[in-house]
Amino acid sequence: MDEFNVSANPHFRSPVTTGSIMRDVLLALAPAALFGIYNFGAPALVRIVVSVVVCVLCEYLFQKLMKRPVTVNDCSAAVTGLLLAMNVPSTLPIAMLIAGDVFAIIIVKQLFGGIGQNFMNPALAARCFLLISFPAAMTAFVYNGVSGATPLAILKPGADAAGGSVTLLSEFLGTTGGTIGETSALALLIGAAYLLARREISWRIPVAYIGTFSILIFFLAPGHSFDGLYLAQELCGGGLMLGAFFMATDYVTSPDTPNGKLIFGAVAGLLTFIFRMFGGSAEGVSYAIIFSNLLVPLIERVTVPKPFGYRKPEKQKAAGKEA
């Protein structure tokens, strides 16, 4: 007689864990982080190390004080610290960076219940917090020891032409000013290819995000419509690649439904276009993703697939016809 093991669901288990996913994200971010250190030197390295250590310590101490299970081994706090460091200039004072780390882990993540409960991406929320609190420090960029405008600031419609020039090759390789981890589109694409190959992220969000943004830029960019070079420069400049592949795809703050992912990406692309072309700042990725995070419950509500075999009750059909 065959014996059956009766146990609670789930009956199919996966070797994939939060820790394994976060470690893959850290590996995928490594090329851009290492290039940032090469590009900006020791100041970038110091800020990366400080941000990761502070985020991990904040999570550990908060969970200990609140007598919650300590979850720092899942590496999610380390990912938040690395992402935040990659989203700030290498000249940002350390104290301000630490304030951003505390805000990300304590306010955005832990006070809402920890990993899986936060309603927006902690690293992006902290970046927006720093932009609002310390705008001058967050927009002071130095490259090769010289202060200057970022490529997006030069490309922005209505910008002063005397602000400098930018080439597509320098943007693609990353030999420009900007935040620590956003300058090299090549390094970010290498990391994105790794995550896609490992199936850690869905293609739907970045494709919808970048595709929507590209269509709008190509047809509607003020003074640059139907300009392929300008489109390529906008794609490679700023935090678009970093945001589309590494932050918009965050499991917790993005939709679970396939159609919801497409809508979410399209909304983020639309908002990025509006903020970049018509906003006061040259960048717009952080605010676009944060606003899209807030729409996730609504997006999921309208994109929940119908159960197999579901039929609308006859009474509801009749009521609908009478109305």
Side-chain angles (χ1 to χ4, degrees), residues 235-254:
L235 290 175
C236 292
L240 183 65
M241 294 299 173
L242 181 60
F245 287 105
F246 294 95
M247 291 180 286
T249 55
D250 177 28
Y251 286 175
V252 179
T253 57
S254 62

Side-chain angles (χ1 to χ4, degrees), residues 1 14 27 32 57 66 87 92 99 117-118 144 151 165 167 181 202 231 233 241-242 248 268 280 284 287 323:
M1 181 178 177
S14 170
L27 284 174
L57 281 177
M66 296 294 105
N87 273 282
L92 184 72
Q117 304 299 319
N118 47 285
N144 286 338
S165 60
T167 66
S202 167
L231 167 60
Q233 290 178 316
M241 294 299 173
L242 181 60
Y287 291 114

